[in-house]
Amino acid sequence: MARAPFVALLTGVISTVAVTALGQGGGVPAGAPLEHDIRAGAGVTAQRLLSEYLPGLEKTPGDTKVYVLEGEAPGGTVVVLGGTHGNEIAGSMAATLLVERARVVKGRLIVVPHANNSAVSYTDPQRPGPEWIEIQTPSGMRRFKYGARRTRLEHQGAPDPPKYRHPASTEELDGAEARNLDRAYPGDANGPLTQRVAAALMRLIAGERADLAFDLHEAGPESRLAWMIVANPKNIDLGALAVLALEEQGLSMKLEPSSDTFRGLSHREWGDATPARAFLVETPNPGQVEQPAGADVVSHPDYPLSKRVGAHLATLGAIVALFNDEARPESRIELRDLPSMADLARDGLGKYLK
Ligand SMILES: [Zn+2]
């Protein structure tokens, strides 16, 4: 296959939907366009770019697709982000499944499958995973990008500081964490790329008046965070009820509230700054270990991707149902055509993609 000519792109000359990634640090070959293979389903009523919420993201590698699924009946709004960390594929694949398959009967579902679109464009040399994953679907074998945790250094527009400390946080982190989207909220509309992406996502959640907002992640199987729901303290009750409901479905999730001192994280800052009830969900990814070489991130016998995506969707479904129990009728949200955990375990993920 002929390679596209090399494009120099230290600054924002790239469009998001066709992010051109440099070869440095692994990832797609220099100059090769990275197109996300996401095929909008019949439930999608509008597609836009995140830069519509923050023009400073336009034509940068941080811009990313936003899919809107609006039901015929008005109701509440739920926002779902995958790909905050580009290597945590159960989140981006759960979001992809929503875009390709979900129908909304009432209310609105807004999905951002690749929240940090720069992070998914390359492979972290410190913790390499596969560059792509392959999934057999009814339309044939499809490929989805497996990326890295943080914004690509060349995209950030600023060198890493010696240390990164969120203004409201008591914790001082490694300087590279300045490129971690989930340490950047509420962001800065005029800051480096990661700060601008965070600011744009805050504007989306606030401007669309989200009632519920989900940030879908993964952690190493031995991590404390695996199988965890993290809830903003104001909606911890909804999280506790969801843990009980999921237990009845055979899924054991843990629950913890956002930290008061470890700041910049989605569930904390979205929930504090907007009316949204904010949640982060973590499933175990066998590739997120110290020595990930050879880890099967799709078909692992204990942690298959289908099971992890099923856990994300079941958690979303449980929390939406519990939200509806307490919401006024005009604020309820009804989603349909989503596979259950049992469906995904039986049939695999590919059957539910286009
Ligand atoms: Zn994560």
Side-chain angles (χ1 to χ4, degrees), residues 25-28 86-89 119-120 122-134 144-149 285-298:
V28 298
N87 53 333
E88 299 175 6
I89 49 171
V120 77
Y122 75 109
T123 300
D124 182 353
Q126 303 290 319
R127 193 174 275 195
E131 289 194 19
W132 299 87
I133 60 168
E134 291 194 325
F144 301 91
K145 189 76 179 72
Y146 190 100
R149 179 173 177 82
N285 178 356
Q288 287 175 246
V289 291
E290 283 305 318
Q291 301 290 333
D296 189 342
V297 297
V298 174

Side-chain angles (χ1 to χ4, degrees), residues 36 38 50 61-62 64-65 79-96 110-122 124 145-152 156 176-185 193-195 197-202 204-205 213-219 225 263-270 279-282 285 288 312:
H36 294 299
I38 297 183
L50 185 60
T64 194
K65 280 265 195 101
V79 171
V80 176
L81 266 55
T84 288
H85 294 138
N87 53 333
E88 299 175 6
I89 49 171
S92 51
M93 291 311 301
T96 300
I110 300 177
V111 187
V112 186
H114 296 285
N116 189 341
N117 211 14
S118 167
V120 77
S121 72
Y122 75 109
D124 182 353
K145 189 76 179 72
Y146 190 100
R149 179 173 177 82
R150 304 180 183 108
T151 303
R152 197 171 190 147
Q156 175 76 336
E177 288 293 275
R179 291 180 283 116
N180 183 345
L181 176 58
D182 204 27
R183 303 292 179 271
Y185 294 105
L193 189 67
T194 310
Q195 289 286 326
V197 171
L201 290 164
M202 287 296 296
L204 185 160
I205 289 164
F214 292 85
D215 193 14
L216 307 184
H217 286 245
E218 296 204 277
L225 290 171
R263 300 291 300 269
L265 289 83
S266 55
H267 44 88
R268 162 57 71 185
E269 311 302 334
W270 299 350
F279 298 91
L280 183 146
V281 186
E282 298 263 11
N285 178 356
Q288 287 175 246
H312 281 291

Side-chain angles (χ1 to χ4, degrees), residues 1-20:
M1 192 170 79
R3 282 196 183 171
F6 179 81
V7 183
L9 42 87
L10 286 179
T11 51
V13 293
I14 332 158
S15 85
T16 335
V17 271
V19 170
T20 310

